[in-house]
Amino acid sequence: MLALLVALALAPNDARAQDPRLAARLDKPTQFAVNAIVDSARAAALPTAPLVEKALEGAAAGSDGPRIVVAVRHLAARMGAAKHVLGPRASADEIKAAAGAMDFGVTVRDLARLHAAAGKRPLTMPLAVLTDLLGRDVPLVTATSLVVQLTRAGTKDAEFALFQRNVRLDIEHGADPAVAATTRGRGMMLKAAHTGGRPTE
Amino acid sequence: MPEHDDEIIEQVADELRGPVPLSASFDARVMRAVRRFPRHSRHSRGAVWSRLTAPRAIVVRPLSAGLLAACVLALAGLGLVQAAKMVRAAAKPAVGGVFARTAKPAATQRVQFVLVAPDAKKVAVVGDFNGWDASHAAYQAKHRGGGVWSVTAPVPVGHHRYSFVVDDTVWMADPTAPRASDNDFGLPNSAIVVEADK
């Protein structure tokens, strides 16, 4: 009797492996396809919540099933590549952020450079800022190089946030995206060098 | 007490002290009964198994049985409650601007989202923290005047993507937040990194 009660208590865990929100918002074929991708990601020790969220985003956006499946599959592939570079200790947030940056063209080589520059520090914020720079049309080479240098200089998350804000404001005021990013980046690195940060390239 | 009573008592006592006569077959009958019991020897095969499987008569008082049953049920109930709590906690999603921080140290932080949309009739925040659900009650923005819409809502610590949905139809990125990739569905998204307050 006790064993049955314990088994019943544990049973919901198995049910949760397939997110009920997918069943509520996707048609059956799409749901099965997404669940299969989620299961594969789980087997590969990848975070699965971003995949479910991507499917829900597609449903909310009114996309058709095949497009949702393609998006989820691509995200899983990018997360797998990101984890391969960032290592098994990468957090789910880092993997998500890296996958987002790769969607803008950041290569695994760039990721590896960033990972080496960060050492043991988390990469979530640098990757979010890198993605933003790319989204504001800062050239890939410029944006990646800047973020790698700032990371190597020991820039803290709050300083990265300030850098992103300043670049955004400069661009909104008409500055060229590459010039805005480079100028603000140099300013931050000079400040880091002045306050005893690590030397820049 | 009269002397003759003492004599009677003495005679009864003598009778009781005397040996009990047994029939000749009594010993044989007793030994036959004894031999029917299994020998308890360390060296006999199956002795332990026999002891383990031999039926036992256990006497249980109703009060003790009732108390024991109550304890078992209470433990089972506690276990169920605990398991349900674990399931609910695990089901919660891992758990504006690029960097949100509030004064409350918790796995979820309250973040203010602001959008200027003078022509809007309704603004909601959707993101990976609320299943991209534009009808989620906690993420409905209120008009503060002058075309400014805002809502302060819980967002789990971590990296998230979100957008504003205006009038249930138009998706808008947060102009003050970092842009997130939008190649999958062609709709603009923003990124936010929510940190736990240290």
Side-chain angles (χ1 to χ4, degrees):
Chain A
M1 177 71 176
L2 197 56
L4 177 63
L5 285 169
V6 171
L8 282 172
L10 290 176
N13 279 332
D14 292 324
R16 187 174 57 80
Q18 302 201 347
D19 197 306
R21 295 175 297 171
L22 295 178
R25 293 165 70 173
L26 301 178
D27 57 56
K28 278 268 190 288
T30 306
Q31 181 195 340
F32 289 149
V34 168
N35 279 328
I37 299 168
V38 168
D39 289 342
S40 296
R42 187 179 294 113
L46 290 173
T48 56
L51 301 174
V52 172
E53 288 149 12
K54 177 61 70 177
L56 294 175
E57 180 189 352
S63 293
D64 56 36
R67 189 169 182 182
I68 292 174
V69 173
V70 166
V72 173
R73 188 175 292 133
H74 283 174
L75 177 59
R78 290 197 303 272
M79 289 202 305
K83 185 173 179 183
H84 183 72
V85 174
L86 299 179
R89 291 185 184 176
S91 68
D93 284 334
E94 286 177 301
I95 294 172
K96 271 173 63 176
M102 291 169 79
D103 199 29
F104 267 117
V106 172
T107 63
V108 290
R109 189 162 166 263
D110 295 328
L111 264 188
R113 284 175 58 206
L114 198 51
H115 182 50
K120 292 183 181 176
R121 285 170 293 136
L123 275 174
T124 311
M125 182 59 84
L127 285 166
V129 171
L130 174 58
T131 305
D132 176 65
L133 294 179
L134 296 171
R136 295 184 194 275
D137 298 325
V138 176
L140 177 63
V141 171
T142 306
T144 310
S145 177
L146 273 172
V147 173
V148 168
Q149 288 179 51
L150 286 171
T151 303
R152 188 172 293 123
T155 305
K156 294 185 174 45
D157 285 358
E159 291 165 334
F160 261 117
L162 183 60
F163 166 71
Q164 181 272 333
R165 179 177 172 274
N166 288 336
V167 171
R168 172 179 64 81
L169 288 172
D170 291 346
I171 294 173
E172 286 175 0
H173 284 107
D176 176 79
V179 171
T182 306
T183 305
R184 290 292 182 179
R186 279 187 188 150
M188 294 221 63
M189 283 185 279
L190 280 171
K191 183 182 172 189
H194 182 69
T195 55
R198 287 189 245 175
T200 58
E201 283 184 332
Chain B
M1 189 186 275
E3 285 185 5
H4 71 274
D5 287 341
D6 288 338
E7 287 176 12
I8 293 170
I9 291 170
E10 196 61 35
Q11 285 172 5
V12 169
D14 284 342
E15 187 62 33
L16 290 173
R17 286 193 199 105
V20 177
L22 298 171
S23 67
S25 64
F26 179 79
D27 281 348
R29 280 189 277 122
V30 166
M31 289 315 295
R32 273 202 298 277
V34 167
R35 286 190 194 102
R36 273 192 228 114
F37 284 101
R39 292 175 69 120
H40 294 292
S41 166
R42 281 186 301 190
H43 305 292
S44 71
R45 235 178 256 177
V48 173
W49 178 253
S50 299
R51 279 200 294 275
L52 286 173
T53 56
R56 299 273 190 278
I58 299 173
V59 177
V60 181
R61 295 190 182 85
L63 181 61
S64 306
L67 283 172
L68 183 64
C71 287
V72 169
L73 283 173
L75 280 172
L78 275 171
L80 270 176
V81 167
Q82 205 58 27
K85 278 184 188 171
M86 284 168 60
V87 167
R88 274 199 298 273
K92 282 181 186 170
V95 186
V98 63
F99 194 58
R101 175 182 283 184
T102 67
K104 183 182 170 187
T108 298
Q109 301 283 19
R110 293 189 65 76
V111 176
Q112 186 182 42
F113 298 92
V114 180
L115 178 70
V116 178
D119 298 328
K121 304 281 186 298
K122 180 185 173 189
V123 174
V125 177
V126 296
D128 57 23
F129 41 77
N130 69 356
W132 301 90
D133 182 4
S135 65
H136 200 301
Y139 299 88
Q140 304 300 312
K142 288 186 179 167
H143 188 229
R144 309 293 177 183
V148 177
W149 295 79
S150 77
V151 59
T152 301
V155 179
V157 169
H159 177 272
H160 300 283
R161 293 169 56 247
Y162 69 99
S163 188
F164 291 104
V165 178
V166 178
D167 296 337
D168 290 323
T169 51
V170 179
W171 285 45
M172 292 179 64
D174 186 341
T176 65
R179 290 181 185 173
S181 63
D182 56 5
N183 297 329
D184 292 317
F185 308 111
L187 294 174
N189 284 324
S190 304
I192 183 172
V193 179
V194 177
E195 286 203 352
D197 200 40
K198 292 170 187 167

